[in-house]
């Protein structure tokens, strides 16, 4: 695997200088084998660019990973629940640990090709056993490509998620899991004595899916900062631009940058009827504008 990575600090400085054509982060996974593999890039922003995390594996309270093992490509994102900050808990520690552990387990071969939910569960239960409690909550989405079988398997809990575009249409997508409006399913470790007051879902509650992939399929894995701010029709149009870019990582990176930059701009637009505002109105809440949030875009294309 060959990897190329640019830190988010570069893009943060670029934004402050009025430059928007630099990538915030990129990781390219390329295999020379003949069976299908993923070429993937990533871009994102912390909600607070000046003070938020922006480095490999993390944008603010969002976390992500992309790795390979033998005949598998594995990608994932997680979104730490920001409400914990009011209790003096860093929301990004939980999501970061969850994704870093998934990545380590894959690299060690301690996972099953057929069970992304099991990988997520192993990471979560390892977190629970950590000597120093890692408190907080997170949504998560993990996808495993079995190269030999050309099968993608996914596990998603909460309102992060994925979309797969083939040709000009969505052929597969996750569905957000909500207890009620703006309260997604989440993996949690609350402080002692707060168990009854905190939502905590089991990793076995994750929505799972299995489907065949084809060369040229474009896959978006993202946190809710993307889906809450960018309409699906716009995401599909952007993803269609990525078709045929499996041999041009810079152009693929440009599409990921475009989606992330669009999500960020729209999130701070107070007059925009965002997907989040529309959902709020459907739930009886008079809302308008984007939803400021951390943004993580992991964009991949299936190549041969």
């Amino acid at each position: 695997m060959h990897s190329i990575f640019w830190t988010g600090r570069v893009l943060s400085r670029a934004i402050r200088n009025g430059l928007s054509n630099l990538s915030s982060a990129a990781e390219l996974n390329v295999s020379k084998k003949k069976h299908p593999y993923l070429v993937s890039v990533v871009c994102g922003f912390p909600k607070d660019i000046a003070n938020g995390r922006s480095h490999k594996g993390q944008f603010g309270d969002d976390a992500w990973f992309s790795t390979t093992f033998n005949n598998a490509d594995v990608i994932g994102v997680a979104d730490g629940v920001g409400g914990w900050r009011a209790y003096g808990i860093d929301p990004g520690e939980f999501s970061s640990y969850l994704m870093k552990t998934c990545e380590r387990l894959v690299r060690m071969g301690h996972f099953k090709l057929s069970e992304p939910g099991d990988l997520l569960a192993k990471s979560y239960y390892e977190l629970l056993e950590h000597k120093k409690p890692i408190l907080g909550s997170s949504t998560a989405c993990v996808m495993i490509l079995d190269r030999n079988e050309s099968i993608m398997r996914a596990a998603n809990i909460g309102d992060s998620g994925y979309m797969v575009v083939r040709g000009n249409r969505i052929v597969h997508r996750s569905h957000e899991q909500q207890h009620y409006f703006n309260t997604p399913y989440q993996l949690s470790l609350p402080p002692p004595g707060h168990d009854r007051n905190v939502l905590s879902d089991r990793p076995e509650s994750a929505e799972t899916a299995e489907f065949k992939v084809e060369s040229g399929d474009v896959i978006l894995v993202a946190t809710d900062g993307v889906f809450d701010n960018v309409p699906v029709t716009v995401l599909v149009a952007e993803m269609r631009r990525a078709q045929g870019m499996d041999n041009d990582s810079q152009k693929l990176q440009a599409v990921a940058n475009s989606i992330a930059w669009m999500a960020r701009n729209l999130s701070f637009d107070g007059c925009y009827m965002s997907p989040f505002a529309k959902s709020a109105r459907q739930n009886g809440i008079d809302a308008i504008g984007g939803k400021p949030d951390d943004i993580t875009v992991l964009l991949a294309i299936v190549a041969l």
Side-chain angles (χ1 to χ4, degrees):
M1 180 184 75
H2 303 286
S3 297
I4 303 172
F5 183 81
W6 293 273
T7 66
R9 297 183 186 277
V10 174
L11 186 54
S12 297
R13 289 196 296 269
I15 292 168
R16 288 194 289 270
N17 292 330
L19 301 175
S20 61
N21 61 339
L22 298 178
S23 59
S24 67
E27 183 164 297
L28 171 65
N29 296 325
V30 180
S31 166
K32 294 182 180 179
K33 298 181 179 179
K34 294 181 180 180
H35 46 231
Y37 60 91
L38 293 182
V39 177
S40 65
V41 296
V42 65
C43 183
F45 304 94
K47 179 169 64 175
D48 181 356
I49 285 184
N51 301 305
R53 300 179 188 86
S54 188
H55 53 74
K56 188 177 187 301
Q58 206 162 10
F59 297 112
D61 299 331
D62 287 358
W64 60 272
F65 78 97
S66 174
T67 192
T68 64
F69 181 81
N70 291 342
N71 61 332
D73 292 318
V74 190
I75 54 180
V77 300
D79 180 2
V81 177
W84 285 108
R85 191 167 281 107
Y87 298 89
I89 296 171
D90 181 353
E93 287 190 2
F94 191 101
S95 57
S96 179
Y97 187 94
L98 199 64
M99 294 293 94
K100 285 181 178 178
T101 304
C102 282
E103 182 175 16
R104 176 173 53 79
L105 291 171
V106 171
R107 290 183 172 179
M108 294 173 64
H110 296 171
F111 73 106
K112 300 176 183 178
L113 272 174
S114 60
E115 296 184 27
D118 181 68
L119 174 61
L120 195 56
K122 284 179 178 177
S123 177
Y124 173 64
Y125 292 131
E126 186 172 312
L127 181 151
L128 296 183
E129 298 298 324
H130 200 271
K131 291 182 180 179
K132 180 184 176 182
I134 301 173
L135 306 176
S137 306
S138 181
T139 65
C141 181
V142 173
M143 303 186 79
I144 300 176
L145 172 63
D146 182 339
R147 297 179 184 171
N148 289 341
E149 302 294 331
S150 298
I151 290 178
M152 182 70 82
R153 297 181 177 93
N156 182 68
I157 187 161
D159 56 4
S160 293
Y162 65 87
M163 286 174 47
V164 182
V165 168
R166 181 180 301 155
N168 60 0
R169 64 190 182 93
I170 299 171
V171 290
H172 304 286
R173 67 178 298 182
S174 58
H175 299 91
E176 66 176 28
Q177 297 173 306
Q178 298 269 6
H179 288 283
Y180 42 88
F181 175 68
N182 205 27
T183 306
Y185 281 33
Q186 54 202 264
L187 304 176
S188 303
L189 178 57
H194 289 262
D195 299 60
R196 293 184 178 181
N197 303 321
V198 174
L199 290 171
S200 183
D201 299 287
R202 296 177 59 83
E204 291 79 11
S205 299
E207 175 196 64
T208 58
E210 175 180 315
F211 48 86
K212 281 277 189 179
V213 292
E214 299 178 4
S215 177
D217 284 353
V218 180
I219 301 167
L220 171 67
V221 187
T223 53
D224 66 329
V226 175
F227 298 115
D228 281 343
N229 289 298
V230 185
V232 170
T233 54
V234 177
L235 289 174
V236 172
E238 288 293 304
M239 292 169 70
R240 289 183 63 192
R241 290 176 51 216
Q243 291 171 350
M245 292 183 178
D246 49 298
N247 292 317
D248 195 331
S249 61
Q250 290 187 346
K251 288 184 178 179
L252 185 63
Q253 182 67 55
V255 176
N257 294 351
S258 175
I259 294 172
W261 184 240
M262 187 185 308
R264 169 143 183 102
N265 283 341
L266 292 174
S267 73
F268 286 97
D269 186 338
C271 299
Y272 164 58
M273 185 54 71
S274 64
F276 179 80
K278 290 180 180 179
S279 180
R281 292 194 172 198
Q282 290 171 358
N283 284 273
I285 302 170
D286 187 13
I288 192 171
K291 179 191 176 188
D293 204 348
D294 302 314
I295 307 291
T296 298
V297 172
L298 206 167
L299 189 66
I301 188 167
V302 178
L304 286 176

